[in-house]
Amino acid sequence: AISNWRGRHDTPKAWPSTGVSTWLNGGLFGVAVTGAAYFAGGYEDGVGSVATVDKFAFVDDSRTTLGTGLSAATKFLAGAANSETAAYFAGGEDASGNVTTVNKFAFADDSRTTLGTGLTAGVYGLAGCANSGTAAYFAGGNSGSRVTTVDKFAFSDDSRTTLGTGLSAGNYSLAGAANSGTAAYFAGGYTGSIVATVDKFAFSDDSRTTLGTGLSATAYALAGAANSGTAAYFAGGQTPSASATVDKFAFSDDSRTTLGTGLSVATGNLAGAAKSGTAAYFAGGNASGAATVVNKFAFSDDSRTTLGTGLSVGVYGNAGAANSGVL
């Protein structure tokens, strides 16, 4: 079993937490394969928080590490992306404590800027996802106490608003995934106890409902990723023992199934990202120490492979976001 109960405010401190090359594969009449998964920050055993941003090109799953990392070494942050445009990494904890910082990486050249307006409060253990082309949503976290806050960043100008209706309970160490154009899903976490709750926010009006069927087991420190238009995947976490479970929620009716093949090893505090239409990637975590492993689940049949090249450094409490092309 893995324990990441390092929290200074609550019992567990655990964290969830996604690209950018354009390639032409196969010549003049080949299929264009675009984008990449980005995994940022986290905690390296024996070292501390890192600012590293690793990039995995979807064309061949090769890894590069960005020359410019996060603006500060940060753990327990969250990620979301405006596909084809930029990744956003928000909140977490750096050497100064909980932060409101939102770093933005432009997919055109992987350059980083920091938004003039950050989160409404410094929080760690929040979750992120996005309505690509419209807005990023960052939900929950711990600012000294658990919060219900959902901050929304409009991609048109990076301005921030805060939803009138937040999470169904103050929650941190939850995970996010989105059906772009339709709804955001925030799953699991710690609300004073470990929960299986899945809150759904409709993008049409930002209203919240709570799914009748939650996760297959209570879990915190899990990760989310989505095949937009098809299904959300929530992987790993702690129940409180480490889990390898991957739950899948069909967007057509919000029904849940659990994959026959889970993660390659039970782990919490990992990060997720996805190439919609192709595969979900779950990276890092604290499986018997900070991990470099990256598991890939093919959306065609939900089969799992493990990338030959993992993260550049073993971390947990990292975040993911992806350039998944047009959504």
Side-chain angles (χ1 to χ4, degrees):
I2 298 172
S3 178
N4 187 38
W5 294 39
R6 301 168 179 257
R8 59 184 186 276
H9 306 303
D10 260 304
T11 305
K13 184 168 185 176
W15 333 99
S17 125
T18 261
V20 99
S21 317
T22 301
W23 298 75
L24 185 61
N25 188 19
L28 181 61
F29 300 102
V31 177
V33 179
T34 60
Y38 291 67
F39 293 104
Y43 185 89
E44 180 184 1
D45 285 338
V47 174
S49 299
V50 301
T52 307
V53 182
D54 284 342
K55 174 182 175 179
F56 290 83
F58 291 138
V59 66
D60 60 1
D61 291 334
S62 61
R63 185 199 74 223
T64 53
T65 300
L66 301 197
T68 300
L70 297 171
S71 56
T74 309
K75 59 188 176 184
F76 310 135
L77 66 168
N82 185 9
S83 198
E84 294 199 300
T85 302
Y88 294 70
F89 293 105
E93 183 181 34
D94 69 13
S96 67
N98 302 338
V99 298
T100 62
T101 307
V102 182
N103 286 171
K104 177 180 178 179
F105 289 83
F107 291 144
D109 60 2
D110 291 335
S111 60
R112 186 201 73 225
T113 54
T114 300
L115 301 196
T117 300
L119 299 170
T120 54
V123 291
Y124 64 82
L126 67 168
C129 63
N131 183 10
S132 196
T134 304
Y137 292 70
F138 293 105
N142 195 317
S143 64
S145 58
R146 299 177 297 272
V147 303
T148 62
T149 307
V150 182
D151 283 344
K152 177 180 178 178
F153 289 83
F155 291 139
S156 59
D157 60 2
D158 291 335
S159 60
R160 186 200 72 223
T161 54
T162 300
L163 302 197
T165 299
L167 297 170
S168 55
N171 194 352
Y172 77 111
S173 196
L174 65 169
N179 184 10
S180 201
T182 303
Y185 294 71
F186 293 106
Y190 186 81
T191 65
S193 59
I194 306 168
V195 298
T197 306
V198 182
D199 283 345
K200 177 181 177 179
F201 289 82
F203 291 141
S204 59
D205 60 2
D206 291 334
S207 60
R208 186 199 72 227
T209 54
T210 300
L211 301 196
T213 300
L215 297 170
S216 57
T218 60
Y220 69 95
L222 66 169
N227 185 9
S228 196
T230 303
Y233 293 70
F234 293 105
Q238 304 200 189
T239 62
S241 58
S243 172
T245 301
V246 182
D247 283 344
K248 177 181 178 179
F249 288 83
F251 291 140
S252 58
D253 61 2
D254 291 334
S255 60
R256 186 200 72 228
T257 54
T258 300
L259 302 196
T261 300
L263 297 171
S264 58
V265 62
T267 189
N269 298 297
L270 66 169
K275 168 67 173 170
S276 269
T278 304
Y281 295 71
F282 294 104
N286 59 350
S288 301
T292 62
V293 66
V294 181
N295 284 173
K296 177 180 178 180
F297 289 83
F299 291 140
S300 59
D301 61 1
D302 291 333
S303 60
R304 186 200 74 227
T305 53
T306 300
L307 301 197
T309 300
L311 298 171
S312 59
V313 64
V315 291
Y316 62 87
N318 53 328
N323 181 14
S324 193
V326 178
L327 295 178

